[in-house]
Amino acid sequence: MGLTTGFDPMAGMPEEGSDLEWFLDAKLGIFIHWGIYSVNGVSESWSFFNGHIPYDEYMAQLSGFTAEKFDPYAWAELFERAGARYVVLTAKHHDGVALFETALSDLSVVRKTPAARDLVAEFCAASRWKNLKVGLYFSHLDWSHPDYSPVSPGCTAAAMEDGKVFFRWTEGPYHPSWRNFIEFHRGQIRELCHNYAPDLLWFDGDWTPGPNWWDFETLRDDIDLWCPGVVVNSRIGKSGDYATPEQGVPIVSPRGPWEFCVTMNDSWGYQGKDRNYKSLRQIVRLFAECIGMGGNVLLGIGPMADGTIPAEQIERLEGLGQWMKRHAEAIYGTRAGLPHGHFNGPTTLNPSGDVLYLFFFDRPAEQRNSLSVKGIRNAVRSVSVVGSRQSLGFRTIGGASWAGIPGVLWIDLPPSALDRNATVLRVELEGPLDLFRGEGGAVTTN
Ligand code: GLC
């Protein structure tokens, strides 16, 4: 990017033309946790694992999962309006209930619920119709599978009814049960790849029994054969393409590609009693903070058992979409902006590095000289408001340009320029960003 000062917003990022290119440009994905847990509004899989409800009671939700109002085309339109460029659906969560037709188990919504539809197939078709990249979430561990070490008395009973001799982790990865499980695990991933050709595989649940049990390197090789070009998240030992911080916006930018996954309230799946929603402003803000550090956001929603997306979630998606649409040029295809310390808020850069976007959340105390950016050595051509194109006054004050020490860029911000969720300014530079990153020192020639 022609930077003279050791600052490179693309440090650790894959080369141009890599399979991750669409992912890096996309910025916003929607993470859909949909499963039988939405019937009673309990936590996805964890409710029985943590003993909040018995396994049988959890599984009894199968009979209430209807998907009768599921309209994948309306979903896809909504996600497109929200500004998302990709979507990720829980094809199978830790509870082992597949949302797709699998030849390897009866435990699917197709065979065991009144829905009796391959929801993954319909979801993929509709999402592609709207040009959304398709991601499938798949839990490695499966707390219902009789060959997985049982996790609750209910699962143990189910395994015993099946006549299985279950095993304990202490028996090691060469136990026949574990070998069976691995065959099943590989088989279902192969089904996902062959039947739905996802653009992204979003794995989860790689934490037990331990990395050497799964042989993730071989799995990754297989996946690359079954589904060439697929992007894979990090929860597959060390064989993934990008990091997945969760629920807390990173303070320090992760190195390389990453995606922050976050719920809108406090639950991944639908839990009607959880009203602890983030406001639209808060969502816009965390989104800007992530893209400013070069990351994506995978924003969670939890549809109800009949396929209805709760009103609070629709409202936020629509609101986010309106803001995204207005500020698209500062979002899609951009790169991480300035490191902390230069501007009091997130920033992004266009690919050629000569346009800097500033994201600003608050109402300044005065109009003139209200925003400052430090460390920019380039001459500034113009400053304008993204969305309205209103041009703004600016001036550089101070510094010692002959010694390479830039002054502070001050920008005027009249109230008419402010967006209620986040104002975005476009700073056009003379040439690619040349950033002063020094600690300062004496100026020896005056
Ligand atoms: C955690 C949870 C899981 C959720 C996931 C989303 O790993 O186990 O319930 O699906 O986070 O990132």
Side-chain angles (χ1 to χ4, degrees):
M1 205 181 250
L3 302 164
T4 56
T5 42
F7 164 68
D8 179 3
M10 293 304 283
M13 288 295 182
E15 313 250 297
E16 242 176 76
S18 87
D19 291 337
L20 261 75
E21 208 161 276
W22 71 261
F23 176 82
L24 294 173
D25 290 346
K27 308 301 175 190
L28 179 67
I30 306 295
F31 201 3
I32 307 150
H33 275 69
W34 198 25
I36 62 165
Y37 36 86
S38 57
V39 172
N40 294 340
V42 294
S43 73
E44 71 290 345
S45 310
W46 291 100
S47 45
F48 70 87
F49 182 88
N50 289 331
H52 299 316
I53 60 172
Y55 180 74
D56 295 348
E57 189 181 321
Y58 182 92
M59 281 299 159
Q61 295 177 102
L62 284 164
S63 63
F65 190 79
T66 64
E68 63 196 332
K69 294 191 182 141
F70 173 48
D71 179 349
Y73 291 89
W75 278 24
E77 282 178 326
L78 173 65
F79 303 149
E80 185 199 39
R81 279 203 304 282
R85 295 279 164 95
Y86 65 106
V87 282
V88 180
L89 173 68
T90 46
K92 188 178 98 168
H93 205 264
H94 312 327
D95 60 12
V97 182
L99 264 62
F100 57 101
E101 165 56 16
T102 167
L104 303 174
S105 161
D106 280 341
L107 191 53
S108 68
V109 300
V110 190
R111 299 193 190 179
K112 287 276 169 86
T113 73
R117 290 156 72 175
D118 185 328
L119 303 175
V120 169
E122 294 185 40
F123 171 80
C124 291
S127 304
R128 293 202 161 109
W129 163 69
K130 280 285 152 200
N131 286 325
L132 297 164
K133 295 279 185 190
V134 171
L136 296 178
Y137 167 110
F138 183 82
S139 169
H140 295 295
L141 53 80
D142 182 328
W143 291 333
S144 286
H145 197 279
D147 286 317
Y148 193 84
S149 192
V151 295
S152 82
C155 311
T156 310
M160 291 180 92
E161 263 171 41
D162 271 11
K164 295 276 181 195
V165 180
F166 56 84
F167 82 112
R168 306 255 162 231
W169 302 128
T170 47
E171 297 181 77
Y174 296 102
H175 189 281
S177 287
W178 184 254
R179 298 328 308 164
N180 284 343
F181 180 73
I182 285 294
E183 206 177 308
F184 164 74
H185 167 259
R186 297 315 204 243
Q188 284 200 321
I189 297 171
R190 192 174 46 228
E191 285 183 325
L192 289 181
C193 291
H194 283 168
N195 298 342
Y196 313 104
D199 302 293
L200 169 65
L201 278 170
W202 211 102
F203 288 114
D204 195 16
D206 60 348
W207 55 81
T208 46
N212 52 337
W213 287 61
W214 296 98
D215 192 6
F216 283 132
E217 291 79 8
T218 314
L219 173 62
R220 179 67 208 250
D221 290 343
D222 289 342
I223 288 171
D224 288 337
L225 287 176
W226 298 332
C227 204
V230 69
V231 173
V232 178
N233 77 336
S234 61
R235 302 182 186 183
I236 175 172
K238 294 195 171 88
S239 302
D241 298 319
Y242 70 86
T244 53
E246 181 171 332
Q247 298 291 37
V249 175
I251 308 296
V252 176
S253 315
R255 248 188 107 70
W258 59 280
E259 170 204 66
F260 171 58
C261 58
V262 63
T263 49
M264 276 193 187
N265 51 4
D266 292 332
S267 317
W268 288 109
Y270 172 69
Q271 294 195 42
K273 59 189 180 313
D274 179 355
R275 326 286 304 180
N276 199 20
Y277 278 95
K278 296 169 186 69
S279 68
L280 175 57
R281 277 195 105 231
Q282 287 164 341
I283 293 171
V284 166
R285 186 164 181 153
L286 68 83
F287 176 72
E289 286 167 350
C290 289
I291 65 171
M293 291 191 286
N296 286 2
V297 170
L298 188 61
L299 182 61
I301 62 162
M304 300 182 204
D306 66 1
T308 306
I309 299 177
E312 296 93 331
Q313 302 179 10
I314 295 185
E315 198 186 301
R316 282 161 182 78
L317 292 177
E318 301 276 13
L320 178 59
Q322 281 160 23
W323 181 85
M324 299 277 287
K325 202 167 171 192
R326 201 171 160 78
H327 300 102
E329 71 159 279
I331 299 169
Y332 304 109
T334 60
R335 301 297 176 241
L338 305 174
H340 292 304
H342 293 268
F343 176 67
N344 189 16
T347 62
T348 57
L349 274 169
N350 71 344
S352 48
D354 56 359
V355 175
L356 178 68
Y357 295 101
L358 310 174
F359 294 72
F360 183 73
F361 306 110
D362 304 310
R363 185 166 276 277
E366 55 185 6
Q367 292 183 35
R368 237 176 106 72
N369 294 343
S370 54
L371 284 191
S372 70
V373 190
K374 285 180 280 183
I376 302 207
R377 281 188 175 137
N378 313 61
V380 173
R381 283 201 178 134
S382 65
V383 180
S384 59
V385 183
V386 174
S388 71
R389 300 228 158 248
Q390 176 183 0
S391 68
L392 300 181
F394 65 94
R395 63 204 59 78
T396 297
I397 298 174
S401 54
W402 65 93
I405 300 172
V408 176
L409 169 68
W410 288 96
I411 302 171
D412 300 339
L413 200 59
S416 59
L418 296 174
D419 181 283
R420 54 199 297 260
N421 294 306
T423 307
V424 188
L425 304 186
R426 176 183 212 273
V427 179
E428 208 181 318
L429 306 171
E430 191 89 44
L433 176 68
D434 179 7
L435 200 60
F436 173 69
R437 297 284 292 150
E439 290 172 16
V443 176
T444 51
T445 3
N446 268 294

